[in-house]
Amino acid sequence: MSLPHAILTALLEKPSSGLELTRRFDRSIGYFWPSTHQQIYRELGKLEQAGHIRVLPAAQPARGQKKEYEVLPAGREALTAWVSLPEDPRPVRDPLLLRMRAAAVVGAPGLAGELRRHLLLHQERLAEYLEIEKRDFPPERTTEEDRLRRLVLRGGIDLETFWTGWLTNAIDELDGASGGCPAG
């Protein structure tokens, strides 16, 4: 149920066309709530049908012109109500952890190599998040909105920091168990 709320959030930040919205998702919300362009366009249609958003009137009608959407009061109310709802934390559901558990039963050829690949991906994402923080959140940006956005980013930074540390320890442990010979 959260994708419509993510779209309402993005449109309240800035009215956008579907294409602009998908690009903004790719650069921000998509880091923690990924979705495909098709899912976004499908949800835009549902939100419009529900009376939560509308297409802004075009300055000059033109064939094939992109539609720009804005949030209506009913959409703002729906988002406000959703933000106020309590929600329990969700358990981690990561296929890598399940694969490691299965490897304990059936063997682990190539597991250390896969862990190294994941480590590299998490290191890259961490570097990307740190760059975003440096670029978009200088010390003088202290509004409530900026603080909340930065806290979301810090959550991502902390998660990537956790994964890089955990993967490093897992690789070290697997390498130690194999007598220092890399397995994978």
Side-chain angles (χ1 to χ4, degrees):
M1 186 68 173
S2 296
L3 180 57
H5 300 106
I7 291 171
L8 288 171
T9 299
L11 290 175
L12 281 168
E13 290 174 339
K14 180 180 182 251
S16 303
S17 69
L19 180 59
E20 291 167 342
L21 190 60
T22 59
R23 287 179 180 157
R24 288 175 52 214
F25 255 73
D26 290 344
R27 291 187 318 265
S28 62
I29 291 173
Y31 284 119
F32 57 89
W33 198 265
S35 64
T36 66
H37 294 189
Q38 294 86 352
Q39 290 171 318
I40 291 171
Y41 279 102
R42 189 171 40 247
E43 285 302 325
L44 284 170
K46 290 178 185 177
L47 287 167
E48 186 177 16
Q49 193 171 24
H52 290 173
I53 64 172
R54 74 176 178 124
V55 176
L56 288 169
Q60 295 181 338
R63 185 177 169 100
Q65 182 174 343
K66 61 184 176 183
K67 297 178 187 177
E68 188 163 285
Y69 297 90
E70 73 172 351
V71 177
L72 295 170
R76 180 182 281 277
E77 290 170 18
L79 184 60
T80 301
W82 178 75
V83 167
S84 302
L85 291 175
E87 188 167 334
D88 293 338
R90 296 182 186 247
V92 173
R93 189 174 170 160
D94 191 299
L96 179 64
L97 298 176
L98 181 56
R99 288 173 49 214
M100 288 180 70
R101 181 69 184 249
V105 177
V106 297
L111 181 61
E114 180 66 353
L115 294 177
R116 284 184 181 83
R117 188 179 74 81
H118 276 254
L119 176 59
L120 180 61
L121 294 170
H122 284 288
Q123 288 170 331
E124 289 171 355
R125 178 65 54 95
L126 177 58
E128 188 176 0
Y129 286 173
L130 290 170
E131 183 56 37
I132 291 169
E133 182 179 44
K134 181 179 169 185
R135 181 191 68 222
D136 294 347
F137 296 100
E140 62 273 10
R141 288 189 64 177
T142 59
T143 67
E144 179 75 9
E145 294 84 2
D146 286 335
R147 284 196 305 271
L148 290 171
R149 288 182 184 120
R150 184 174 180 272
L151 283 169
V152 171
L153 179 61
R154 285 300 317 171
I157 290 169
D158 290 348
L159 283 171
E160 295 304 327
T161 300
F162 161 78
W163 280 112
T164 57
W166 183 85
L167 285 161
T168 299
N169 290 338
I171 291 165
D172 288 348
E173 188 164 325
L174 288 177
D175 285 350
S178 63
C181 300

